[in-house]
Amino acid sequence: MGGAVSAGEDNDELIDNLKEAQYIRTELVEQAFRAVDRADYYLEEFRENAYKDLAWKHGNIHLSAPCIYSEVMEALELQPGLSFLNLGSGTGYLSSMVGLILGPFGVNHGVELHSDVIEYAKQKLDFFIRTSSSFDKFDFCEPSFVPGNCLELSPGCSQYDRVYCGAGVQKQHEDYMKSLLKVGGILVMPLEEKLTKITRTGPSAWETKKILAVSFAPLIQPCHSESGKSRLVQLPCL
C-alpha cells in the first residue's frame, strides 16, 4: 500500500509531497511529521527507501506507507492533553509523532505483540530523545510500550480519547475496539479493507466514516497458554 506521492530526497521533501497531495492538511500534523525523521526508524541497510511512499517490512518490523500514516494522523484529530492507545505500536514511529502533539499532560500507550519489535521501538525512542532537535519546539509525551496481544487487554483497562489499530480488524472485533473509547473519542482502524474513522458520540452512539481502501495484515488471534487461560495485557494507569 502506498505510492500515492513522489519519493523525496529527504524527510522534508517527503512531507512537502504529502502536503501537495493533500494527505497532510493541518499544521500540527505537518510539524509532527517534520520533527520525526522516518529514516531513523529503518534498519541502516534499508534507509535509502525511507522517503518513498511505500510500506516497509523486515521480519516482524513494519512501517506503513507515509500516505497512510498521514491519513491516520489527520483522522485522529489530535490535541494536547489527550490519551492515546496504539494497538500494534510497532517501531514507535507513529507513537513518537503523536507524542509531540499530546504534550506533557497527555497519555501515550502502545501494545505490541512481538518482543523483538518492542526492543527495536525502545532503541529508536532512545535515539530520538538523545539526538532530535525537536525538544526545543515541543513538549514530548513519551510513549510507553507494553508487550501482548491487543485482543487480550485486561477488562478493567481504562478507556482512551484516541485509539489506533495498525492491523486489519474483522467485523467480529469491531465492538471490542469501540469499547476502548471514551465518549467523544475517535478510533481509527483498518476495518474490512477500509481505513475507518469511528467517533463515539454517546454511550451507545457512533459515527462511522470510511477514509480509503487499504490492505493490512490481519490481527493475530490470541494463543491460549497451556492452562487454557489467555494472557491478559495490563496497561499502565492513565
Side-chain angles (χ1 to χ4, degrees):
M1 189 72 210
V5 302
S6 302
E9 290 295 319
D10 57 22
N11 198 63
D12 277 329
E13 194 170 304
L14 172 64
I15 308 315
D16 291 343
N17 294 341
L18 290 166
K19 272 189 71 182
E20 187 178 342
Q22 290 289 299
Y23 283 101
I24 292 177
R25 300 180 289 277
T26 59
E27 189 175 346
L28 268 180
V29 170
E30 178 186 349
Q31 289 173 346
F33 266 88
R34 291 195 189 279
V36 183
D37 193 324
R38 181 175 167 90
D40 290 341
Y41 291 79
Y42 274 65
L43 291 167
E44 189 63 39
E45 60 265 38
F46 299 103
R47 279 179 69 97
E48 73 272 10
N49 295 317
Y51 306 123
K52 297 175 181 175
D53 188 34
L54 297 171
W56 173 64
K57 183 171 172 57
H58 183 80
N60 291 326
I61 302 167
H62 176 262
L63 280 165
S64 293
C67 68
I68 301 298
Y69 283 132
S70 304
E71 290 285 10
V72 169
M73 289 281 285
E74 293 287 1
L76 285 169
E77 297 181 26
L78 296 162
Q79 304 166 29
L82 295 179
S83 57
F84 172 65
L85 177 61
N86 189 353
L87 302 173
S89 49
T91 64
Y93 171 65
L94 178 70
S95 291
S96 290
M97 289 195 292
V98 169
L100 293 172
I101 297 175
L102 297 182
F105 304 111
V107 172
N108 194 356
H109 293 162
V111 179
E112 170 56 45
L113 182 63
H114 302 290
S115 57
D116 60 324
V117 179
I118 287 204
E119 191 55 41
Y120 185 87
K122 287 178 177 176
Q123 291 171 9
K124 296 302 181 185
L125 175 61
D126 179 65
F127 180 80
F128 176 67
I129 290 171
R130 284 189 292 105
T131 64
S132 175
S133 60
S134 303
F135 298 108
D136 298 335
K137 308 168 197 164
F138 299 90
D139 290 314
F140 188 46
C141 180
E142 186 174 329
S144 57
F145 304 114
V146 176
N149 189 307
C150 67
L151 293 174
E152 295 184 300
L153 300 183
S154 173
C157 85
S158 301
Q159 293 175 316
Y160 289 77
D161 297 303
R162 300 289 186 269
V163 178
Y164 172 65
C165 181
V169 178
Q170 297 307 308
K171 197 70 178 173
Q172 68 261 34
H173 298 303
E174 180 180 358
D175 288 344
Y176 170 87
M177 294 293 175
K178 288 158 88 171
S179 73
L180 303 173
L181 268 189
K182 293 179 181 178
V183 173
I186 295 172
L187 163 66
V188 178
M189 61 181 175
L191 180 64
E192 297 186 308
E193 304 293 306
K194 293 276 172 54
L195 190 65
T196 303
K197 174 181 179 178
I198 297 175
T199 305
R200 188 169 194 170
T201 57
S204 55
W206 314 85
E207 287 181 0
T208 300
K209 178 186 177 185
K210 307 287 187 186
I211 301 171
L212 78 165
V214 290
S215 178
F216 276 67
L219 280 171
I220 294 174
Q221 301 303 304
C223 293
H224 293 287
S225 63
E226 291 177 9
S227 66
K229 295 180 180 177
S230 61
R231 305 175 185 87
L232 291 180
V233 177
Q234 302 293 333
L235 289 164
C237 295
L238 292 189

